[in-house]
Amino acid sequence: MFGALHIVSQGGADTLLEKLLYVVMATALGFACTVARMRSGAVGMAVGVHGGLHIGLRLTPTHEAGFAAQLALMAGALTLAAWVIETVYRARAGREPVPAPETV
C-alpha cells in the first residue's frame, strides 16, 4: 500500500521508468520500515530507517548518475536493510538467553 500511494506522488520522477522505480523504491522503504517495526516492537526503529534514507540521500553523491540510478540504488539498499534486520532478529531469537550472574 505504501508503495502504491507513490504512484500519485512521484517526487521529481519525469520518465515512465523513473515513476516505476519511485514506486519500487517506496515499496522497499515500506518493507524495510515494516520489518523494523515488527521485529523491534517499537516505531522508533522504523523512524530510524526512514530518517536514514533521507540522511543517506544527502550524503551519497548519486545525483550525477541520474534519478533513475539513484532510485534503483535506494531500492536495493532498502531491500538489503530489510533483509539484514530480519536476519539479525532471527539469529537473536535462536540464541539461548544468557543467565544473569549470581550475586552473593
Side-chain angles (χ1 to χ4, degrees):
M1 290 296 294
F2 183 77
L5 292 173
H6 286 77
I7 292 172
V8 180
S9 164
Q10 288 111 14
D14 294 327
T15 67
L16 178 61
L17 176 64
E18 288 176 349
K19 290 176 184 182
L20 291 173
L21 283 171
Y22 193 75
V23 170
V24 169
M25 183 277 303
T27 302
L29 174 61
F31 282 136
C33 288
T34 299
V35 168
R37 167 64 176 95
M38 289 176 60
R39 290 300 181 186
S40 70
V43 75
M45 190 167 174
V47 170
V49 169
H50 191 255
L53 167 81
H54 291 285
I55 291 169
L57 282 173
R58 269 97 185 140
L59 296 178
T60 55
T62 57
H63 298 290
E64 297 297 321
F67 194 48
Q70 186 178 22
L71 290 171
L73 180 65
M74 288 189 306
L78 288 164
T79 302
L80 179 62
W83 179 80
V84 167
I85 292 166
E86 180 66 21
T87 302
V88 166
Y89 274 89
R90 280 183 187 247
R92 286 184 179 176
R95 290 187 198 154
E96 291 294 320
V98 177
E102 293 183 31
T103 57
V104 179

